[in-house]
Every structure is written in structure tokens, then in C-alpha cells.
Amino acid sequence: AQQCYGITKIFLPPYSPFLNPIEYAFNTIKERIKAESFHTLGELHQLIDEKVQSITKEDATHFYQQSAKYYA
């Protein structure tokens, strides 16, 4: 880590999905969709909307906690 103006800069690899809480959200949504069945594109769109809406405040907190485990 480098220090500049009292701010510590931490350089991350180009792609670090485990450091990004949204990746945990996407994974949760995908897993919830896999547990369902659909037959048309419209049904898939509806299912995606339902699963996005099913993410709770507790889920979001967990996603951030998962990412925070990798920071000192």
C-alpha cells in the first residue's frame, strides 16, 4: 500500500469479484433463479425481477461482510 496525503492507496487486481459485494448479489440471484423453472423469455424476465426484489437488507449486509473479510 502507498500513502499520499494521509490516504492509504491499496492496489487491487484488475478483476476481484470477491471484493465486490454486487458479485455476491448476482450469484444469489442466479442461484435463486436456477431453483425455478420458466418456459418463455417473459417468464424469465418476471423471475429475474422477483428474485432481485427478494434480496433483503440482511442479504445485502451479508454481501458486504463477505467482501470485508478480505480487507485488513
Side-chain angles (χ1 to χ4, degrees):
Q2 209 177 33
Q3 190 114 18
C4 180
Y5 299 106
I7 299 170
T8 302
K9 296 187 235 177
I10 302 172
F11 293 96
L12 302 175
Y15 181 64
S16 305
F18 53 91
L19 298 178
N20 190 348
I22 195 68
E23 296 292 344
Y24 294 105
F26 291 153
N27 189 52
T28 299
I29 293 165
K30 287 190 291 187
E31 290 301 317
R32 291 177 182 176
I33 289 170
K34 285 180 190 177
E36 303 285 338
S37 64
F38 57 91
H39 302 289
T40 67
L41 186 57
E43 289 176 358
L44 174 59
H45 287 168
Q46 182 178 353
L47 194 56
I48 291 169
D49 186 52
E50 289 172 10
K51 299 311 174 187
V52 168
Q53 296 300 319
S54 76
I55 298 294
T56 65
K57 181 171 78 171
E58 290 78 18
D59 291 330
T61 299
H62 179 70
F63 303 150
Y64 277 94
Q65 289 170 343
Q66 286 292 103
S67 291
K69 292 190 310 186
Y70 296 97
Y71 294 100

